[in-house]
Amino acid sequence: MAAQPFASSGDLAEKEQSLEVLADGVYALTAEGDPNVGAVEGEDFLVCFEALATPVAAGEWLARLREYTDKPVRYLVLSHYHAVRVLGASAFDAAVIVAHENTRALVAERGKQDWESEFARMPRLAKAPESVPGLTWPTLTFSDRLTIDLGGDRGDLVLQYCGRGHTEGDIVGWLPRHRILFAGDLVEAQAALYTGDAFHRDWAGATLDRVEALGADALVGGRGAVSRGPAEVAAAIGQTRHFLQVLLREVGAVQGRGGTLKDAFEASHAALRERYGRWPIFEHCLPFDVSRVWDELSGVERPIIWTAERDQEVWDQLQS
């Protein structure tokens, strides 16, 4: 296997962004496999979903959103704690920053290390990294469900915890009136999964079952195109589940026959490459994915903290 540039360090080409209006006052910004973001209009305020990696990157998204609405951002919803999702928060000037209670705990436990890790892995996303004022701290957390009344006849936005998945604290944003789901990184559409902080068995099972049970007609995943219609939504959820199941199967089989972590990586790469190999960040993610599955199947309940140094060690061992 040819040596690969570290993570996404060689991915420096700008991606084309597409702002889509999914319904009256419901917006999504996608970017060819870069992290997706969204917004929902309330009667006299905005709810924004995800913050991007830096205030400068977030400011560019907000400038596009301001072509459609000038309502102030009351709520900024963070689906989980990863740096490229949260460190642009200061650009929104949100009255309330919402996340799951586990996400707040994860920021305290490993937010600084994750910041250094992700900016080294994905330097193109970290536009003007000096503009980040510090860690992003939620100001409102919940454990199961939080409902935001959008006012007037706009209905509700339901924020829901579906269980452990991409991290311990992922939440989704559900608009029952429009049957639109902002799924965060619990679902990807035509983009490979990053699972280095995941709980694969929970995610592939009960967590995705709960996401699927919502019955969305449109789904904005963490990366990739918007899924429109029940068939595309089902395909995105199914692809996510399949990726996780293959990882569990291949790593488990290698462990069962007494193989090594390198053997597990090579088996997983061979099993996934044909279907997923050309999708964004596949080569970047897989060493970290396999490392976490290996730990999980070895009885390591919670993910080991990724540091810039550990990132490089795992990369050198598996992908170089």
Side-chain angles (χ1 to χ4, degrees):
M1 190 181 303
Q4 299 283 340
F6 173 66
S8 289
S9 61
D11 179 9
L12 302 177
E14 288 296 315
K15 309 299 184 185
E16 183 177 355
Q17 296 182 333
S18 300
L19 194 155
E20 301 178 52
V21 181
L22 306 183
D24 179 29
V26 183
Y27 310 96
L29 187 77
T30 63
E32 299 184 297
D34 274 0
N36 295 336
V37 291
V40 178
E41 288 190 46
E43 187 174 24
D44 58 0
F45 63 91
L46 278 171
V47 182
C48 288
F49 196 80
E50 311 288 38
L52 295 176
T54 68
V56 168
E60 293 174 359
W61 149 233
L62 286 168
R64 296 197 65 176
L65 184 60
R66 290 308 180 200
E67 297 173 10
Y68 295 84
T69 175
D70 61 0
K71 294 175 182 177
V73 179
R74 182 178 298 174
Y75 299 95
L76 173 62
V77 177
L78 305 176
S79 70
H80 62 287
Y81 77 97
H82 284 155
V84 296
R85 302 292 185 181
V86 306
L87 291 181
S90 62
F92 293 81
D93 196 25
V96 182
I97 300 176
V98 188
H100 191 266
E101 61 188 15
N102 289 347
T103 291
R104 194 183 199 289
L106 288 163
V107 171
E109 179 187 50
R110 58 186 69 198
K112 185 65 167 63
Q113 296 95 322
D114 183 73
W115 178 356
E116 295 170 353
S117 165
E118 292 204 55
F119 278 27
R121 291 187 194 179
M122 295 174 278
R124 181 176 50 76
L125 299 182
K127 294 184 178 181
E130 70 281 357
S131 66
V132 178
L135 293 172
T136 296
W137 295 97
T139 60
L140 174 64
T141 63
F142 65 96
S143 61
D144 180 34
R145 180 177 299 189
L146 177 70
T147 299
I148 297 173
D149 180 355
L150 297 172
D153 62 354
R154 292 183 174 272
D156 293 331
L157 171 63
V158 180
L159 305 178
Q160 184 168 321
Y161 180 64
C162 295
R164 300 188 304 183
H166 175 69
T167 71
E168 281 179 281
D170 297 82
I171 59 174
V172 301
W174 171 234
L175 291 164
R177 179 183 174 194
H178 299 295
R179 307 200 69 77
I180 295 171
L181 181 66
F182 290 91
D185 279 324
L186 285 175
V187 180
E188 310 289 11
Q190 298 185 27
L193 275 67
Y194 173 70
T195 74
D197 297 299
F199 296 80
H200 294 80
R201 290 170 289 195
D202 289 6
W203 188 0
T207 298
L208 279 180
D209 288 347
R210 294 184 188 106
V211 172
E212 192 169 32
L214 291 169
D217 289 335
L219 182 149
V220 183
R223 294 174 183 262
V226 175
S227 300
R228 297 176 179 271
E232 286 191 9
V233 171
I237 295 171
Q239 169 250 302
T240 300
R241 196 190 301 268
H242 178 259
F243 192 103
L244 297 166
Q245 290 171 336
V246 172
L247 280 173
L248 286 164
R249 182 191 74 208
E250 295 298 325
V251 176
V254 170
Q255 286 191 345
R257 61 177 180 263
T260 66
L261 178 61
K262 178 71 170 177
D263 295 333
F265 173 75
E266 291 176 350
S268 298
H269 192 279
L272 290 164
R273 180 183 55 218
E274 182 176 354
R275 181 167 176 179
Y276 303 106
R278 286 177 284 184
W279 287 8
I281 68 172
F282 173 78
E283 297 292 351
H284 168 163
C285 292
L286 198 61
F288 309 116
D289 295 353
V290 171
S291 179
R292 170 55 188 154
V293 179
W294 183 275
D295 286 347
E296 189 174 12
L297 295 182
S298 301
V300 180
E301 175 65 13
R302 299 186 67 244
I304 299 170
I305 295 174
W306 291 102
T307 64
E309 294 76 19
R310 181 172 177 239
D311 288 353
Q312 194 68 60
E313 289 171 4
V314 169
W315 187 270
D316 290 345
Q317 181 183 0
L318 300 184
Q319 188 68 294
S320 297

